[in-house]
Amino acid sequence: MDTTGKFCDRSQPEDVWFLAGTFGGIVQRTCKLPAKRPVVFPLVNQVNSEASCKEFMATAKGKATLDGKPVTSERMEEKDVAVTGVADNPLTNEEGTAAYYACGIWVRLQPLQPGRHKLTIRGSSGGFRTGVDYTLIVGTEQQA
């Protein structure tokens, strides 16, 4: 739901930096992140039942470019992914933790060099379309 990247540093783990997709549509975000951290993001993904994921993945496709160069993606499906949310969150609409089946096309990048980078993400499945145009500002651990 973050349309600008203002919240891209919320709840990040110590060993990886997650970038968010959208719930549909294309947004532009700027995100400051530390150097020396791998970056992970979805091209298109879903958290639902196994049957819904199988249908979703049948037509799922996507691509991403980093500084104008294509990056490699991988298809993933996983059972029993724990999702914890607050009341009225956009993913589960309720508070608490529950197990779901997760699926999607994801990218894992090695840590980026310090400086500015342009990341373009596009994904789709059936009639669902998503995309993010990121400006990534990679600094030192102290600057992010």
Side-chain angles (χ1 to χ4, degrees):
M1 301 295 291
D2 180 8
T3 59
T4 66
K6 177 180 177 180
F7 304 110
C8 78
D9 62 346
R10 286 222 175 143
S11 301
Q12 292 287 351
E14 296 291 323
D15 59 342
V16 68
W17 195 272
F18 286 100
L19 296 174
T22 72
F23 289 97
I26 297 174
V27 297
Q28 293 183 354
R29 296 181 181 139
T30 298
C31 181
K32 292 181 181 179
L33 61 147
K36 301 181 181 176
R37 260 219 235 153
V39 178
V40 177
F41 57 89
L43 303 181
V44 63
N45 68 312
Q46 181 182 87
V47 176
N48 208 318
S49 68
E50 184 172 359
S52 290
C53 271
K54 296 290 183 197
E55 183 178 329
F56 182 83
M57 292 302 286
T59 59
K61 58 185 176 182
K63 63 181 179 177
T65 60
L66 178 65
D67 299 327
K69 298 177 183 169
V71 297
T72 302
S73 62
E74 57 190 299
R75 297 173 79 82
M76 301 177 113
E77 294 187 52
E78 188 69 38
K79 293 181 181 181
D80 299 326
V81 173
V83 176
T84 302
V86 297
D88 299 323
N89 73 80
L91 186 60
T92 65
N93 294 315
E94 55 190 41
E95 185 175 4
T97 301
Y100 292 90
Y101 194 92
C103 57
I105 304 172
W106 287 77
V107 172
R108 294 187 250 195
L109 298 176
Q110 294 299 313
L112 302 176
Q113 292 296 315
R116 293 177 84 85
H117 299 275
K118 290 287 186 185
L119 175 64
T120 302
I121 302 168
R122 296 293 183 271
S124 67
S125 178
F128 177 74
R129 305 275 183 273
T130 185
V132 184
D133 295 328
Y134 271 106
T135 298
L136 301 177
I137 303 168
V138 180
T140 65
E141 292 292 332
Q142 294 78 25
Q143 289 174 321

